[in-house]
Amino acid sequence: MRFLLLLFVAAIVWLSQGAVAQAHPVLLRSTPSDGQTVRTPPRQIDLWFSEPPTAAGLDIALSDRDGKAFPVTARIADQGIHVVLTGFPELPRSVYELRWSVVSKYDLHRLQGTLVFGVGLAATSSGRPAESVTGPAGTVADVVLGWFDLAATAVVSGWVLLVALWSRRRGFALPAESVVTMRGLAAAFAMLSVFASLARGARQWSEAAGADSGLAVVKDSGQLLRWSLREVVLVVICALLVRQSRRGASGSAATLPLICLLFGDLVLRAATSHARGGPLSLAVLAIHQVAALAWVGGLVVLGFLTARLRGERRLTLDLWRSFGPVAACSVAVLTITGLLLTGRQVASVDAALSTSYGRALLIKLTLAGVLMALGLRHALRLHPWLRRRVGPAVLPSSRAQAISPLLGVTVALMAVVLAVTPPARGPQFDKPEATASRADYQVDDLLITVSLGPNQPGRSLLLVDVVSSRRPSPGPITAVTADLGSTSGIVLRRTTSAAQTGGQGGGQWQAAVDVEATGPVPLRIVAARNHPGPAVVTTTWVVPTGLPRRPVVVSNSPLAPWTTGLAVAVALLASAVAYALLRRYRRTRRSVVTVEPVQRVPSGAG
C-alpha cells in the first residue's frame, strides 16, 4: 500500500514537471527591444515570454506609424517560451508598433501588450507592458474562488497534520465529540475545495471559449489533464474524510493516504503557480505551499478546537504547545522559500513599490510578519524555557487565539491575489545600460577623448580631442578619421590650430555623422601622424534608446541576488537557532526536579 502511494506521488511530480509556470505570460525581452532603433530591417522578430503561451491563442499585429498593417506568421520554439515572427515583407524606413496577445498555457488567462521599434528612424515612444484582458468581475471571481479553494485545503491539511502528530504521542487523547466535529468540518472543507476548483476551472474555460479560438486554446493548453487529475485527487481526499467521519478511523494508518494525496494536490497546485525553471523550482514552490498550509491550517484547526475546549485548560495548553515546533519549522521554511520565489517574481525594489503585484506582496509580507510576531509571543508564553525560566506555561489570550487564524486566512487571500496578478518583472524594469556621451582612451603617449552628441539615432556631432603627454610631442597629428557603425572613412575637420595646442601635437577634430541604430555600435578612431605612427582606438559605443528612463525611487538593481543570498543566510541562522534552542531545552528539562503530571482526557478517537 505504501509503495503504491509513493508511486502515485512520484507520478504526479513527473506529470507536473512540464507544467511549472508563472501565473501570467509576461514578455521578458524581445528582438528588436521596445524603443530600439535598428539600421537594417529585421528579417524576423523574436519574443520571449515568462511561460509558454498556447499556439492557438497567439494574436499578433504589426503596423507602421501611418497605420498600415503587415502580415505576420507566428510560431513557437525553444521549449514554448520563444515566439518567432516571420512572413512580413522588408520593412521600409519608419516606426512600427507590434501588438501581441497571448493565452497562458496553464491558467488560460489572456494578456496583451505592445512594443515600438524604429527602422532607420528613432523610436521616440515606448509600448505598453503586459496587462490582463480579464475584466474586474472575472478577476474578483478568480480571487474569491481561489481563496475558498486554498483556505479549504489549508483546513484539511492542518487537521491531517495535527492528527498525525497527536497519534504519535502516548496517552494523548481528544474528546470524542470534538474529534467527530472536526472530522465533519474537514470533510465539509474538502467538499468546498472540490466545488471551488470546479467553479474556477469552469469560469476560466468559459472565458477562453468565448474567443474565436477558445476550444483550440483549451486543447492546446493541456489544462484539461491537469485539472482532471487534481479534481480526482480532491474527490478521493473528500471521500476518505467522509469515510473516516462515519467509521471513526484514526491514527497513522488512516492519515498516511491523506498525507500523500494532499502532497499530490499541492504539487499539482504548484505546477500552475509562480515558479518556473524545472524540477528545482517546482520543489521550492511545493515546499513553500506545504509549509504555508501546515502553519495556517494548523492555526485554524487550533482555533476551532480551542473554542470547543474552553473548559479543558490543560488539554488546550497541550494542544498549543504541541503545535509550536511545527509552526517554527513552517515559518523558517516559508521565509527561506519565500525569499527565493520573490527574487524570481520581483525585478527590483522599485518594481515592488510601483506595481500591483509588488504592493500586494508587501501587504502579504506585512500580515505574515504580524502573524510571526504574534506566534513568537505565543511561544514565549507557552514555553518559558525559551526565556531561561522554569515556570508554568500560559495560554494565549482568547483574543490572540481568534486573531491568529484570521490573520492566517487573510495571508492566504493575499497569496491568491498574487496568483492572479502579473508579476513585477519584464523589460520595463530592466536596469538600463550605462551609457556615456564622452569617453577617454590612452594610446601610447596620446590621450584621445571622444564625444558624440546628442548620442541618439539621427544626425550627431562627433568630437575627438587629442593631447600628447610627451614634451615635446613626437609628431603632430596630421589627420583623424573614424568608422561608426556601417559608415567608414569619416574624415574629421580640425577645429583648433597648431598654435592653440601649445605644441602638444594634438588638437580638436569634429565631423557630422549619422547614427543609424541604438544599442552597441562599433567605433574606430585613427589619429594619423608621421612618427611614431598612427594611434588607433577600437571600441564599442553604446547609443541609448532615447526613451525616458524610469525614475529610480529606491533602487533599480536586480533583486534576485540579494534575496538568494538572504535566503542562504536565513537558512544558516535558522539551523544555528534550532541547535541552540534544542540544547537549552535539554538543559532545562534536566534542571527540573519534579514535573506535575498532566491529567489526560480519555477518548476512543485520535
Side-chain angles (χ1 to χ4, degrees), residues 35-37 65 94-95 117-125 456-458 518 545:
Q36 183 181 6
T37 301
R65 60 181 178 180
S94 184
V95 177
F117 64 93
V119 177
L121 290 179
T124 56
S125 63
Q456 293 180 3
T518 56
T545 60

Side-chain angles (χ1 to χ4, degrees), residues 257-269:
L258 288 172
I259 292 175
C260 294
L261 289 169
L262 284 171
F263 178 76
D265 174 57
L266 293 178
V267 172
L268 290 171
R269 185 189 297 272

